[in-house]
């Protein structure tokens, strides 16, 4: 398979000539700086993070036009100017470094030039975010910023003493609490290096490896193209960390194959979107939000990855079951035997790249920082790629991966910069605690209602945002509310993380589904609704985690096995109920039995588990006893 690793950068400029060369080397320079920091140690916080912000805010102006739809093959003069201005607030810090690290925050008044620099840093960062991911996050920051300045005019529990403008700017720009705080630190270290690792593996043929593995394992079964799409997207997503990037990288191959073997275009797009979104949950290289979870919960990244194992399996299993039922329902064929055998044979051409993941995991087990583990993974990729001609990276290939990695990070970095300012503003005003109290007062302490409200918050706030930003905003008030109601802290944060991921497939703004729709040539909203239907069971799994943290490998072995088995049976029951099909079409009664069984099994508890298994057993026995021809056998087209 020929990868198209830069296709997900289609929203960015692709300038030619001198402008393209300058953009390329600017991107490569960013990566070289961070590799140097990984090898020799990062500079002091107020040198390292302002440099990181200046680099990426500047890159956003060079990579993204002032409005979507413009496709300049050159970079206008004003964007070069804005790129240069992006460096001015950082250069001011460098020039006055001694003052910045010795001053008394909130006590010493800001000099007029410090006010100018602070305003410039905030405004330029907001514009970089607007260009790369849209208005949502910039508007959200503007709301919190306005509330901080004019809190006395807000009603009820939102009313507060206003924060002086200089004090707010002091917090956001002058120290390590706002723009240059821990969230930006995660962007500059863990996120950047793991995205770079994914780009390196992709350039070396990691995508082809995972695709061939998936086709070799799944292609020989009924509906093999769909099942291969699920497996390959889950595997590839674990190194890309981006749902949209994953859709473009694997979907350009899997979606046309699914369509050719009988899957409806919208169903094919939905499968690819849901499966691609799973990559951010699949260990060992998860999405950038996993690092934020580690920061919030004070756990090691490896602990987060281990806890995500069963939820990731259930996610992919749920999608696989939906694809299987669709395949049996419409008798969709397996892939050609020759293609499957060829894929199995081609695995050996890239299989040595799996050693990179082994090395990264070994580094994490050895308690090395994820930043350094990913850095070693980058070096290992370059070294191991030289073992075969099919994966060998020359200097140009390495530099291409550097450019791809740097540019792929832009929207995530820009979102995290603004999210860092949102966090800083909420910290200063104490609004997070009041939001938590307000949420609990609305739900009257009901855990189920609180979970539903937090879920809706994740989906609504996550529309069009990178998962990390969506998770971070809701985690500030949603996770503490769940913890207050007795949910285990890791389960609370994983609940928010899971739904932040699902926002990418939830209409009306389902960015992963829309990306898949553009490949499948089907209506975007139709792809979005198909993705929701295919991911029906996926939407329930977080509730099981919240009530039963055993799914996160918390508790006794018996509890873990019981939670896992009942969840698997629940997924089967819900998939059958949603599809209206088991071994043959379900009657209305059988469908209701399956849906009822799923609800009881996901609810948990001995009584509900027994009742759920009993209901599902009745539906299964009814299916087997009914016999006769299946009503859908003769159909040649799958459902929309």
């Amino acid at each position: 398979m020929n990868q198209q690793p830069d296709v997900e950068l289609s929203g960015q400029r692709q300038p030619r000539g001198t402008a393209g060369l300058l953009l390329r080397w600017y991107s490569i320079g960013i990566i070289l700086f961070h590799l140097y920091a990984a090898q020799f140690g990062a500079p002091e916080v107020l040198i390292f993070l302002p440099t990181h912000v200046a680099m990426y805010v500047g890159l956003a102006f060079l990579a993204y036009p002032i409005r979507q739809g413009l496709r300049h093959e050159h970079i206008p003069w004003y964007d070069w100017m804005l790129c240069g201005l992006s460096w001015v607030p950082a250069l001011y810090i460098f020039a006055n470094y001694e003052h910045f690290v010795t001053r008394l925050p909130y006590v010493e008044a800001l000099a007029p030039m410090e006010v100018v620099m602070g305003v410039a840093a905030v405004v330029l960062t907001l514009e970089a975010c607007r260009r790369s991911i849209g208005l949502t996050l910039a508007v959200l920051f503007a709301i919190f910023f306005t509330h901080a300045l004019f809190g006395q005019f807000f009603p009820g529990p939102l009313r507060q003493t206003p924060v002086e403008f200089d004090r707010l700017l002091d917090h956001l720009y002058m120290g390590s609490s706002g723009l240059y705080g821990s969230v930006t630190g995660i962007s500059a270290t863990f996120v950047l290096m793991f995205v770079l690792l994914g780009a390196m593996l992709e350039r070396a043929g990691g995508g082809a490896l995972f695709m061939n593995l998936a086709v070799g394992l799944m292609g020989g079964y009924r509906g093999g193209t769909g099942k291969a799409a699920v497996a390959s997207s889950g595997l590839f997503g674990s190194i890309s960390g981006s749902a949209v990037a994953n859709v473009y990288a694997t979907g350009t191959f899997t979606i046309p194959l699914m369509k050719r073997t009988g899957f409806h275009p919208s169903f094919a797009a939905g499968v690819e979107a849901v499966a691609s979104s799973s990559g951010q949950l699949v260990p060992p290289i998860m999405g950038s939000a996993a690092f934020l979870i580690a920061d919030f919960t004070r756990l090691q990244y490896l602990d987060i990855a281990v806890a995500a194992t069963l939820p990731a399996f259930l996610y992919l299993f749920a999608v696989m079951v939906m694809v299987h039922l669709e395949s049996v329902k419409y008798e969709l064929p397996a892939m050609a035997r020759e293609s499957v055998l060829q894929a199995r044979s081609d695995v050996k051409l890239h299989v040595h790249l799996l050693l990179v993941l082994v090395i990264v995991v070994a580094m994490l087990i050895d308690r090395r920082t994820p930043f350094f583990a990913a850095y070693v993974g980058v070096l290992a990729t370059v070294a191991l790629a030289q073992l075969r001609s099919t994966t060998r990276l020359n200097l140009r290939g390495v530099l291409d991966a550097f450019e791809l990695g740097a540019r792929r990070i832009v929207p995530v970095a820009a979102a995290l910069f603004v999210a860092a300012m949102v966090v800083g503003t909420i910290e200063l005003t104490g609004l997070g605690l009041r939001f938590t109290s307000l949420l609990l007062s609305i739900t009257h302490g009901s855990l189920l209602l609180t979970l539903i409200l937090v879920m809706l918050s994740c989906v609504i706030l996550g529309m069009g945002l990178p998962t990390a930003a969506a998770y971070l905003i809701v985690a500030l008030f949603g996770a503490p509310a769940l913890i207050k109601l007795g949910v285990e802290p890791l389960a609370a944060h994983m609940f928010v993380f899971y739904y932040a991921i699902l926002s990418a497939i939830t209409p009306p703004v389902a960015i992963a589904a829309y990306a898949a729709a553009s490949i499948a040539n089907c209506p975007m909203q139709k792809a979005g609704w198909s993705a929701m239907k295919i991911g029906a069971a996926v939407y329930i799994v977080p509730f099981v985690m919240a009530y039963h943290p055993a799914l996160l490998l918390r508790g006794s072995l018996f509890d873990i096995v019981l939670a896992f088995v009942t969840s698997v049976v629940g997924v089967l029951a819900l998939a059958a109920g949603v599809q209206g099909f088991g071994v043959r079409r379900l009657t209305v009664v059988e469908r209701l039995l399956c849906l009822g069984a799923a609800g009881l099994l996901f609810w948990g508890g001995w009584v509900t588990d027994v009742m759920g298994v009993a209901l599902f057993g009745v539906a299964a026995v009814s299916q087997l006893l009914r016999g006769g021809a299946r009503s859908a056998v003769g159909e040649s087209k799958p459902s929309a």
Side-chain angles (χ1 to χ4, degrees):
M1 181 188 70
N2 294 323
Q3 291 291 332
Q4 300 179 34
D6 60 346
V7 70
E8 74 273 16
L9 303 180
S10 57
Q12 297 187 17
R13 291 185 176 115
Q14 303 291 341
R16 299 176 182 176
T18 303
L21 198 60
L22 289 173
L23 177 56
R24 173 178 173 83
W25 281 103
Y26 184 89
S27 303
I28 291 170
I30 291 174
I31 296 302
L32 291 175
F33 169 77
H34 289 84
L35 289 174
Y36 178 90
Q39 175 63 51
F40 299 105
E44 294 84 354
V45 170
L46 282 182
I47 297 292
F48 183 47
L49 296 188
T51 302
H52 176 73
V53 171
M55 285 177 164
Y56 270 100
V57 171
L59 184 56
F61 288 123
L62 299 182
Y64 287 92
I66 193 168
R67 69 175 186 273
Q68 290 299 315
L70 294 178
R71 289 292 181 267
H72 297 303
E73 290 191 355
H74 71 285
I75 300 174
W77 65 268
Y78 54 82
D79 281 340
W80 288 110
M81 182 187 71
L82 287 170
C83 177
L85 288 175
S86 302
W87 281 88
V88 174
L91 293 174
Y92 183 81
I93 293 175
F94 305 159
N96 300 276
Y97 184 73
E98 199 65 32
H99 168 67
F100 270 76
V101 297
T102 58
R103 67 183 294 274
L104 296 175
Y106 319 125
V107 175
E108 295 184 31
L110 299 186
M113 186 54 70
E114 291 169 348
V115 173
V116 172
M117 291 296 108
V119 170
V122 171
V123 171
L124 289 167
T125 302
L126 289 173
E127 172 60 10
C129 181
R130 183 198 68 79
R131 288 192 183 202
S132 54
I133 66 168
L135 271 172
T136 306
L137 200 53
V139 169
L140 192 63
F141 170 76
I143 292 170
F144 285 111
F145 192 84
T146 303
H147 174 265
L149 294 177
F150 305 104
Q152 72 273 29
F153 299 115
F154 281 72
L158 298 179
R159 185 187 299 274
Q160 67 170 45
T161 303
V163 178
E164 294 179 359
F165 179 77
D166 280 14
R167 180 180 174 85
L168 184 53
L169 209 58
D170 191 331
H171 190 75
L172 294 179
Y173 169 69
M174 297 295 291
S176 56
S177 300
L179 181 56
Y180 307 127
S182 62
V183 175
T184 298
I186 289 170
S187 170
T189 53
F190 310 148
V191 174
L192 182 140
M193 203 57 68
F194 272 96
V195 172
L196 175 62
L197 174 58
M200 294 294 297
L201 280 169
E202 191 176 329
R203 275 295 185 186
L209 168 64
F210 292 141
M211 182 62 70
N212 288 325
L213 276 173
V215 171
L217 289 172
M218 300 291 176
Y221 296 97
R222 183 183 292 280
T225 54
K227 294 170 182 176
V230 176
S232 63
S233 296
L235 290 169
F236 185 80
S238 70
I239 66 169
S240 75
S242 166
V244 175
N246 198 2
V247 166
Y248 282 122
T250 60
T252 50
F253 177 76
T254 59
I255 290 175
L257 273 180
M258 283 189 276
K259 288 171 65 178
R260 283 202 295 271
T261 54
F263 286 99
H264 191 281
S266 62
F267 189 88
V271 168
E272 183 59 47
V274 180
S276 290
S277 298
S278 74
Q280 298 173 89
L281 194 63
V282 177
I285 304 175
M286 301 165 66
S288 51
F291 304 113
L292 295 170
I293 296 175
D295 189 61
F296 267 113
T297 58
R298 299 290 181 245
L299 293 172
Q300 295 290 327
Y301 171 73
L302 185 62
D303 296 332
I304 306 298
V306 170
T309 303
L310 293 186
F313 172 84
L314 287 173
Y315 188 119
L316 291 170
F317 177 71
V319 183
M320 193 73 78
V321 171
M322 291 294 285
V323 172
H324 175 72
L325 292 178
E326 183 85 357
S327 304
V328 175
K329 185 177 179 180
Y330 296 105
E331 293 199 321
L332 301 181
M335 294 181 69
R337 179 172 172 78
E338 295 77 16
S339 298
V340 176
L341 292 176
Q342 185 62 52
R344 291 173 183 172
S345 175
D346 288 346
V347 166
K348 66 177 182 290
L349 300 177
H350 306 90
V351 71
H352 55 288
L353 293 178
L354 289 176
L355 289 173
V356 174
L357 301 183
V358 174
I359 290 169
V360 171
V361 172
M363 297 286 290
L364 293 172
I365 292 173
D366 195 38
R367 297 298 177 182
R368 301 299 184 95
T369 66
F371 183 40
F372 188 71
Y375 168 67
V376 172
V378 170
L379 299 182
T381 302
V382 177
L384 289 167
Q386 309 311 314
L387 296 178
R388 282 184 176 274
S389 59
T390 49
T391 59
R392 192 164 297 143
L393 289 170
N394 55 21
L395 179 59
R396 181 182 180 87
V398 172
L399 295 179
D400 285 347
F402 284 3
E403 182 185 6
L404 173 63
R407 295 183 65 177
R408 186 180 280 174
I409 296 162
V410 175
V412 178
L416 287 177
F417 298 161
V418 176
M421 295 195 295
V422 171
V423 171
T425 305
I426 291 175
E427 284 176 348
L428 191 61
T429 61
L431 190 60
L433 294 175
R434 274 176 287 153
F435 258 134
T436 300
S437 300
L438 182 62
L439 180 62
L440 292 176
S441 67
I442 292 172
T443 62
H444 301 291
S446 165
L447 178 56
L448 179 60
L449 287 178
T450 305
L451 288 168
I452 291 171
L453 279 183
V454 171
M455 174 195 73
L456 293 175
S457 300
C458 286
V459 171
I460 293 170
L461 291 175
M463 289 178 180
L465 292 183
T467 300
Y471 160 77
L472 183 61
I473 300 302
V474 180
L476 290 172
F477 64 89
L482 297 179
I483 292 168
K484 276 193 174 184
L485 293 177
V487 177
E488 204 267 350
L490 179 57
H493 284 277
M494 286 295 289
F495 181 91
V496 176
F497 178 36
Y498 216 100
Y499 280 112
I501 292 172
L502 292 177
S503 66
I505 63 166
T506 306
V509 185
I511 56 174
Y514 295 171
S518 68
I519 300 172
N521 293 318
C522 69
M524 290 186 174
Q525 288 298 330
K526 201 169 185 180
W529 291 116
S530 288
M532 273 196 80
K533 175 185 173 182
I534 294 163
V538 175
Y539 282 87
I540 306 298
V541 170
F543 284 86
V544 182
M545 290 191 299
Y547 282 103
H548 303 285
L551 268 186
L552 299 174
L553 303 181
R554 294 289 197 270
S556 67
L557 180 61
F558 176 79
D559 290 337
I560 292 169
V561 171
L562 180 63
F564 177 66
V565 171
T566 54
S567 296
V568 166
V569 178
V571 165
L572 292 171
L574 185 59
V578 170
Q579 280 280 30
F581 197 87
V583 294
R584 54 185 51 82
R585 280 198 181 277
L586 271 65
T587 64
V588 173
V589 173
E590 289 169 348
R591 198 166 189 171
L592 290 174
L593 286 172
C594 286
L595 293 174
L600 290 168
L601 286 163
F602 284 134
W603 187 265
W606 275 105
V607 175
T608 52
D609 284 348
V610 171
M611 291 173 63
V613 170
L615 288 182
F616 187 53
V618 170
V621 170
S622 173
Q623 282 266 290
L624 294 172
L625 291 179
R626 256 194 314 122
R630 293 172 299 176
S631 59
V633 167
E635 300 182 37
S636 60
K637 283 288 182 181
S639 62

